Amino acid sequence: MRRFESIFGKVVKKRRRRLGLSQESLGFLSGLHRTYISEIERGQKSPSLRAIVAIAQALDINASELILLAEKKQALIAVDTDEAGG
């Protein structure tokens, strides 16, 4: 599961940067601490559903869409890994 957490964190970070937000700003908008945002982005924390929804709202995206982006990225990585190995 750590792999998905890492991918999810990268998706959050990419979206945050695209919106021009700092981790501190995202933390403020989502009601979460900046260090928790950092840990999520680095794949060190597995956010609760409540945290995912809060982050998604702060990033102006639906929580389901945010998770779907991470799932798609994970699928692409799996395909690339399969092609490289076989």
Side-chain angles (χ1 to χ4, degrees):
M1 191 64 164
R2 278 281 176 217
R3 185 173 182 165
F4 185 77
E5 291 162 347
S6 178
I7 293 167
F8 179 80
K10 288 176 184 177
V11 168
V12 169
K13 183 177 184 176
K14 183 177 181 179
R15 178 82 180 185
R16 174 181 62 76
R17 285 184 168 176
R18 189 179 314 149
L19 294 173
L21 297 172
S22 66
Q23 288 179 341
E24 189 167 353
S25 295
L26 179 56
F28 177 77
L29 292 171
S30 64
L32 302 169
H33 198 277
R34 173 194 55 81
T35 57
Y36 185 60
I37 298 293
S38 175
E39 290 170 330
I40 289 171
E41 288 186 355
R42 289 181 282 140
Q44 295 178 335
K45 291 285 184 182
S46 180
S48 67
L49 182 57
R50 187 175 137 230
I52 291 170
V53 169
I55 290 167
Q57 288 175 343
L59 294 174
D60 197 30
I61 190 171
N62 292 324
S64 58
E65 210 171 327
L66 190 61
I67 293 168
L68 185 61
L69 288 171
E71 288 177 331
K72 287 180 179 180
K73 185 170 182 136
Q74 184 179 37
L76 288 173
I77 291 170
V79 168
D80 287 346
T81 303
D82 289 346
E83 289 177 1

